[in-house]
Amino acid sequence: MIVVDTNILAYRWLPSPNATKVERLLSVDSTWAAPLLWRSEFRNLLAGLLRSNRLDLATAETTMDRAKQCLTGGEFAVSDRAVLERVATSRCTAYDCEFVALADALRVRLVTEDKALLGAFPKTCRSLDAMIE
């Protein structure tokens, strides 16, 4: 099992030059987890694509459904204290620290392309490239 950041989910379900890398990540570990927050972040990505007319509503709904299916059984609530502890020791947002706190609670890696997270939490976070090498 791995925790995946919203950017990794976006690479999986939206057109991306990183799609091939994400397919390789799935072959390394296909059991993905995320804090419940991922849904709001992902919907916000879809909203931007809808507003810029790069995605229609039906495709956005289908994409959201597919992403949810990918995480069935892998969505978790995160402890407020755990998130705030990570916020207190970094300059990362509480949103980002939810992913780190979940990975730490599950004792797994967080796969992210977020440079701030990679720098602030090197014991927990791994880049997509590092995970597939």
Side-chain angles (χ1 to χ4, degrees), residues 57-114:
L57 182 57
T59 303
E61 289 176 316
T62 300
T63 301
M64 187 71 201
D65 288 342
R66 287 182 180 157
K68 286 190 300 190
Q69 288 173 357
C70 170
L71 285 169
T72 298
E75 296 177 281
F76 298 90
V78 183
S79 155
D80 297 332
R81 180 171 182 85
V83 173
L84 294 173
E85 285 173 346
R86 283 147 188 84
V87 168
T89 62
S90 73
R91 297 188 53 85
C92 298
T93 68
Y95 303 116
D96 289 339
C97 288
E98 282 203 32
F99 290 87
V100 179
L102 178 59
D104 288 343
L106 296 174
R107 294 188 172 108
V108 300
R109 298 282 183 224
L110 165 60
V111 182
T112 182
E113 290 296 283
D114 186 304

Coordinates of all heavy atoms in Angstrom, one line a residue, residues 57-114:
L57 N -18.9 18.2 -18.7 CA -19.4 17.7 -17.4 C -19.5 16.2 -17.3 O -19.2 15.6 -16.3 CB -20.8 18.4 -17.2 CG -21.5 18.0 -15.9 CD1 -20.6 18.4 -14.7 CD2 -22.9 18.7 -15.8
A58 N -20.0 15.6 -18.4 CA -20.1 14.1 -18.4 C -18.7 13.5 -18.2 O -18.6 12.5 -17.4 CB -20.8 13.6 -19.7
T59 N -17.7 14.0 -18.8 CA -16.4 13.4 -18.7 C -15.8 13.7 -17.3 O -15.2 12.8 -16.7 CB -15.4 14.0 -19.7 OG1 -16.0 13.7 -21.0 CG2 -14.0 13.4 -19.6
A60 N -16.1 14.8 -16.7 CA -15.7 15.2 -15.4 C -16.3 14.2 -14.4 O -15.6 13.7 -13.5 CB -16.0 16.6 -15.0
E61 N -17.6 13.9 -14.5 CA -18.3 13.0 -13.6 C -17.7 11.6 -13.7 O -17.5 10.9 -12.7 CB -19.8 13.0 -13.9 CG -20.5 14.3 -13.5 CD -21.9 14.3 -13.8 OE1 -22.3 13.9 -15.0 OE2 -22.7 14.7 -13.0
T62 N -17.5 11.1 -15.0 CA -16.9 9.8 -15.2 C -15.5 9.7 -14.6 O -15.2 8.7 -14.0 CB -16.9 9.5 -16.7 OG1 -18.2 9.5 -17.2 CG2 -16.3 8.1 -17.0
T63 N -14.7 10.7 -14.8 CA -13.4 10.8 -14.3 C -13.4 10.7 -12.7 O -12.6 9.9 -12.1 CB -12.6 12.0 -14.7 OG1 -12.6 12.0 -16.2 CG2 -11.2 12.1 -14.2
M64 N -14.3 11.4 -12.1 CA -14.4 11.4 -10.6 C -14.8 10.0 -10.2 O -14.3 9.5 -9.2 CB -15.4 12.5 -10.2 CG -15.5 12.6 -8.7 SD -14.0 13.4 -8.1 CE -14.0 13.0 -6.4
D65 N -15.8 9.4 -10.9 CA -16.2 8.1 -10.5 C -15.1 7.1 -10.6 O -14.9 6.2 -9.7 CB -17.4 7.6 -11.4 CG -18.7 8.4 -11.0 OD1 -18.8 8.9 -9.9 OD2 -19.6 8.3 -11.9
R66 N -14.3 7.1 -11.7 CA -13.2 6.2 -11.8 C -12.2 6.4 -10.7 O -11.6 5.4 -10.2 CB -12.6 6.4 -13.2 CG -13.4 5.9 -14.3 CD -12.7 6.0 -15.6 NE -13.6 5.5 -16.7 CZ -13.5 5.9 -18.0 NH1 -12.6 6.7 -18.3 NH2 -14.3 5.3 -18.9
A67 N -11.9 7.6 -10.4 CA -10.9 7.9 -9.4 C -11.4 7.3 -8.0 O -10.6 6.7 -7.2 CB -10.6 9.4 -9.3
K68 N -12.7 7.5 -7.7 CA -13.2 7.0 -6.5 C -13.2 5.5 -6.4 O -12.8 4.9 -5.4 CB -14.7 7.4 -6.3 CG -14.9 8.9 -5.9 CD -16.3 9.3 -5.6 CE -17.3 9.1 -6.6 NZ -18.6 9.6 -6.4
Q69 N -13.4 4.8 -7.6 CA -13.3 3.4 -7.6 C -11.9 2.9 -7.3 O -11.7 1.9 -6.7 CB -13.8 2.9 -9.0 CG -15.3 3.0 -9.2 CD -15.7 2.6 -10.6 OE1 -14.9 2.3 -11.4 NE2 -17.0 2.6 -10.8
C70 N -10.9 3.6 -7.8 CA -9.5 3.3 -7.6 C -9.2 3.3 -6.1 O -8.4 2.5 -5.7 CB -8.7 4.3 -8.4 SG -6.9 4.2 -8.0
L71 N -9.9 4.2 -5.4 CA -9.6 4.3 -3.9 C -10.6 3.6 -3.0 O -10.6 3.8 -1.8 CB -9.5 5.8 -3.6 CG -8.2 6.4 -4.1 CD1 -8.2 8.0 -3.9 CD2 -7.0 5.9 -3.3
T72 N -11.4 2.8 -3.6 CA -12.4 2.1 -2.7 C -11.7 1.3 -1.6 O -10.8 0.5 -1.9 CB -13.3 1.1 -3.6 OG1 -14.0 1.9 -4.6 CG2 -14.3 0.3 -2.7
G73 N -12.1 1.6 -0.4 CA -11.5 0.9 0.7 C -10.2 1.6 1.2 O -9.6 1.2 2.1
G74 N -9.7 2.6 0.4 CA -8.5 3.3 0.7 C -8.6 4.7 1.1 O -7.6 5.5 1.0
E75 N -9.8 5.1 1.5 CA -10.0 6.5 1.9 C -10.1 6.6 3.4 O -10.8 5.8 4.0 CB -11.3 7.1 1.3 CG -11.2 7.2 -0.2 CD -12.6 7.7 -0.7 OE1 -13.5 6.8 -0.8 OE2 -12.6 8.8 -1.1
F76 N -9.3 7.5 4.0 CA -9.2 7.6 5.5 C -9.4 9.0 6.0 O -8.9 9.9 5.4 CB -7.8 7.0 5.9 CG -7.6 5.6 5.6 CD1 -7.0 5.3 4.4 CD2 -7.9 4.6 6.4 CE1 -6.8 4.0 4.0 CE2 -7.7 3.2 6.1 CZ -7.1 2.9 4.9
A77 N -10.0 9.0 7.2 CA -10.0 10.3 8.0 C -8.6 10.4 8.7 O -8.0 9.3 8.9 CB -11.1 10.3 9.0
V78 N -8.2 11.6 8.9 CA -6.8 11.8 9.5 C -7.0 12.6 10.8 O -7.8 13.5 10.9 CB -5.9 12.6 8.5 CG1 -4.5 12.7 9.1 CG2 -5.9 11.9 7.2
S79 N -6.2 12.2 11.8 CA -6.2 12.8 13.1 C -5.8 14.3 13.0 O -4.8 14.7 12.3 CB -5.2 12.1 14.0 OG -4.7 13.0 15.0
D80 N -6.6 15.2 13.6 CA -6.3 16.6 13.6 C -4.9 16.8 14.2 O -4.1 17.6 13.7 CB -7.3 17.4 14.4 CG -8.7 17.3 13.9 OD1 -8.9 17.1 12.6 OD2 -9.7 17.4 14.6
R81 N -4.6 16.2 15.3 CA -3.3 16.4 16.0 C -2.2 16.0 15.0 O -1.2 16.7 15.0 CB -3.3 15.6 17.3 CG -1.9 15.8 18.0 CD -1.9 15.2 19.4 NE -0.7 15.4 20.0 CZ -0.4 16.5 20.7 NH1 -1.2 17.5 20.8 NH2 0.8 16.6 21.3
A82 N -2.3 14.9 14.4 CA -1.3 14.4 13.5 C -1.0 15.4 12.4 O 0.2 15.7 12.0 CB -1.6 13.1 12.9
V83 N -2.1 16.0 11.8 CA -1.9 17.0 10.8 C -1.2 18.3 11.3 O -0.2 18.8 10.8 CB -3.3 17.4 10.1 CG1 -3.1 18.5 9.2 CG2 -3.9 16.2 9.4
L84 N -1.7 18.7 12.5 CA -1.2 20.0 13.1 C 0.3 19.8 13.5 O 1.1 20.7 13.4 CB -2.1 20.4 14.2 CG -3.5 20.9 13.8 CD1 -4.3 21.2 15.0 CD2 -3.4 22.1 12.8
E85 N 0.6 18.6 14.0 CA 2.0 18.3 14.3 C 2.9 18.5 13.1 O 4.0 19.1 13.2 CB 2.2 16.9 14.9 CG 1.7 16.8 16.3 CD 1.7 15.3 16.8 OE1 1.9 14.4 15.9 OE2 1.5 15.1 18.0
R86 N 2.5 18.1 12.0 CA 3.3 18.2 10.8 C 3.3 19.6 10.2 O 4.3 20.1 9.7 CB 2.8 17.2 9.7 CG 3.3 15.8 10.0 CD 2.3 14.7 9.7 NE 2.8 13.4 10.2 CZ 2.6 13.0 11.4 NH1 1.9 13.7 12.3 NH2 3.0 11.8 11.8
V87 N 2.2 20.3 10.4 CA 2.2 21.7 10.1 C 3.2 22.5 10.9 O 3.9 23.4 10.4 CB 0.8 22.3 10.2 CG1 0.8 23.8 10.1 CG2 -0.2 21.7 9.2
A88 N 3.2 22.2 12.2 CA 4.1 22.9 13.1 C 5.6 22.7 12.8 O 6.4 23.5 13.2 CB 3.8 22.4 14.6
T89 N 5.9 21.6 12.2 CA 7.3 21.3 11.9 C 7.7 21.6 10.4 O 8.8 21.2 10.0 CB 7.7 19.9 12.3 OG1 6.9 19.0 11.4 CG2 7.4 19.6 13.7
S90 N 6.8 22.2 9.7 CA 7.1 22.5 8.3 C 6.5 23.8 7.8 O 5.8 24.4 8.6 CB 6.6 21.3 7.4 OG 5.2 21.4 7.3
R91 N 6.7 24.1 6.6 CA 6.0 25.3 6.0 C 4.9 24.8 5.0 O 4.4 25.5 4.2 CB 7.0 26.2 5.3 CG 8.0 26.8 6.3 CD 8.9 27.8 5.7 NE 8.2 28.9 5.0 CZ 7.7 30.0 5.6 NH1 7.8 30.1 6.9 NH2 7.2 30.9 4.9
C92 N 4.5 23.5 5.1 CA 3.5 22.9 4.3 C 2.1 23.3 4.8 O 1.9 23.5 5.9 CB 3.7 21.4 4.2 SG 5.3 21.0 3.5
T93 N 1.2 23.2 3.8 CA -0.2 23.5 4.2 C -0.8 22.3 5.0 O -0.3 21.2 4.9 CB -1.1 23.7 2.9 OG1 -1.2 22.5 2.2 CG2 -0.5 24.8 2.0
A94 N -1.9 22.6 5.7 CA -2.6 21.6 6.4 C -3.1 20.6 5.4 O -3.1 19.4 5.7 CB -3.7 22.2 7.3
Y95 N -3.5 21.0 4.2 CA -4.0 20.1 3.2 C -3.0 19.1 2.9 O -3.2 17.9 2.8 CB -4.4 20.9 2.0 CG -5.5 21.9 2.1 CD1 -5.2 23.3 1.9 CD2 -6.8 21.6 2.6 CE1 -6.1 24.3 2.1 CE2 -7.7 22.6 2.7 CZ -7.4 23.9 2.5 OH -8.3 24.9 2.7
D96 N -1.8 19.6 2.6 CA -0.7 18.7 2.2 C -0.3 17.8 3.4 O 0.0 16.6 3.2 CB 0.5 19.5 1.7 CG 0.3 20.1 0.4 OD1 -0.6 19.6 -0.4 OD2 1.0 21.1 0.0
C97 N -0.3 18.3 4.6 CA 0.1 17.5 5.7 C -0.9 16.4 6.1 O -0.5 15.4 6.7 CB 0.3 18.4 7.0 SG 1.8 19.5 6.8
E98 N -2.1 16.5 5.6 CA -3.1 15.4 5.7 C -2.5 14.1 5.0 O -2.6 13.0 5.6 CB -4.4 15.7 5.1 CG -5.3 16.6 6.0 CD -6.7 16.5 5.8 OE1 -7.2 15.4 5.4 OE2 -7.4 17.5 6.0
F99 N -1.9 14.3 3.9 CA -1.4 13.2 3.1 C -0.2 12.6 3.9 O -0.1 11.3 4.0 CB -1.0 13.6 1.7 CG -2.2 13.9 0.8 CD1 -2.7 15.2 0.8 CD2 -2.8 12.9 0.0 CE1 -3.8 15.5 0.0 CE2 -3.9 13.2 -0.8 CZ -4.4 14.5 -0.8
V100 N 0.7 13.4 4.4 CA 1.8 12.9 5.2 C 1.4 12.2 6.4 O 1.9 11.1 6.8 CB 2.8 14.1 5.5 CG1 4.0 13.6 6.3 CG2 3.2 14.8 4.3
A101 N 0.4 12.8 7.2 CA -0.1 12.2 8.4 C -0.7 10.8 8.1 O -0.5 9.9 8.9 CB -1.1 13.1 9.1
L102 N -1.4 10.7 7.0 CA -2.0 9.4 6.7 C -0.9 8.4 6.4 O -0.9 7.3 6.9 CB -3.0 9.5 5.5 CG -3.6 8.2 5.1 CD1 -4.3 7.5 6.2 CD2 -4.5 8.4 3.9
A103 N 0.1 8.8 5.6 CA 1.2 7.9 5.2 C 1.9 7.4 6.5 O 2.2 6.2 6.7 CB 2.1 8.5 4.3
D104 N 2.2 8.3 7.4 CA 2.8 8.0 8.7 C 1.9 7.0 9.5 O 2.4 6.1 10.1 CB 3.2 9.2 9.5 CG 4.3 10.0 8.8 OD1 5.1 9.5 8.0 OD2 4.5 11.2 9.2
A105 N 0.6 7.3 9.6 CA -0.3 6.5 10.4 C -0.3 5.1 9.8 O -0.4 4.1 10.6 CB -1.7 7.1 10.4
L106 N -0.3 4.9 8.5 CA -0.3 3.6 7.8 C 1.0 3.0 7.7 O 1.1 1.8 7.3 CB -1.0 3.8 6.5 CG -2.4 4.2 6.4 CD1 -2.9 4.4 4.9 CD2 -3.3 3.2 7.1
R107 N 2.1 3.8 8.0 CA 3.5 3.3 8.0 C 3.8 2.9 6.5 O 4.4 1.8 6.3 CB 3.7 2.2 8.9 CG 3.6 2.6 10.4 CD 4.1 1.5 11.3 NE 4.2 2.0 12.7 CZ 3.3 1.7 13.6 NH1 2.3 0.8 13.4 NH2 3.4 2.2 14.8
V108 N 3.4 3.8 5.6 CA 3.8 3.6 4.2 C 4.3 4.9 3.6 O 4.4 5.9 4.3 CB 2.5 3.1 3.4 CG1 1.9 1.8 3.9 CG2 1.4 4.2 3.4
R109 N 4.7 4.8 2.4 CA 5.2 6.0 1.7 C 4.1 6.8 1.1 O 3.1 6.3 0.7 CB 6.1 5.6 0.5 CG 7.4 4.9 1.0 CD 8.4 5.8 1.5 NE 9.6 5.0 1.9 CZ 10.2 5.2 3.0 NH1 9.9 6.1 3.8 NH2 11.3 4.5 3.2
L110 N 4.3 8.1 1.0 CA 3.5 9.1 0.3 C 4.2 9.4 -1.0 O 5.3 9.8 -1.1 CB 3.3 10.4 1.1 CG 2.7 11.5 0.3 CD1 1.3 11.2 -0.3 CD2 2.6 12.8 1.1
V111 N 3.5 9.1 -2.1 CA 4.0 9.4 -3.5 C 3.5 10.7 -3.9 O 2.2 10.9 -3.9 CB 3.7 8.3 -4.5 CG1 4.3 8.6 -5.8 CG2 4.2 6.9 -4.0
T112 N 4.4 11.7 -4.2 CA 4.0 13.0 -4.5 C 5.0 13.7 -5.4 O 6.1 13.3 -5.4 CB 3.8 13.9 -3.2 OG1 3.4 15.2 -3.6 CG2 5.1 14.0 -2.4
E113 N 4.5 14.6 -6.1 CA 5.5 15.5 -6.9 C 5.6 16.9 -6.3 O 6.2 17.7 -6.8 CB 5.0 15.6 -8.4 CG 5.1 14.3 -9.1 CD 6.5 13.8 -9.3 OE1 7.2 14.4 -10.2 OE2 7.0 12.9 -8.6
D114 N 5.0 17.0 -5.1 CA 5.1 18.3 -4.4 C 6.5 18.5 -3.8 O 6.9 17.8 -2.9 CB 4.0 18.3 -3.3 CG 3.9 19.6 -2.6 OD1 4.9 20.1 -2.1 OD2 2.8 20.2 -2.6

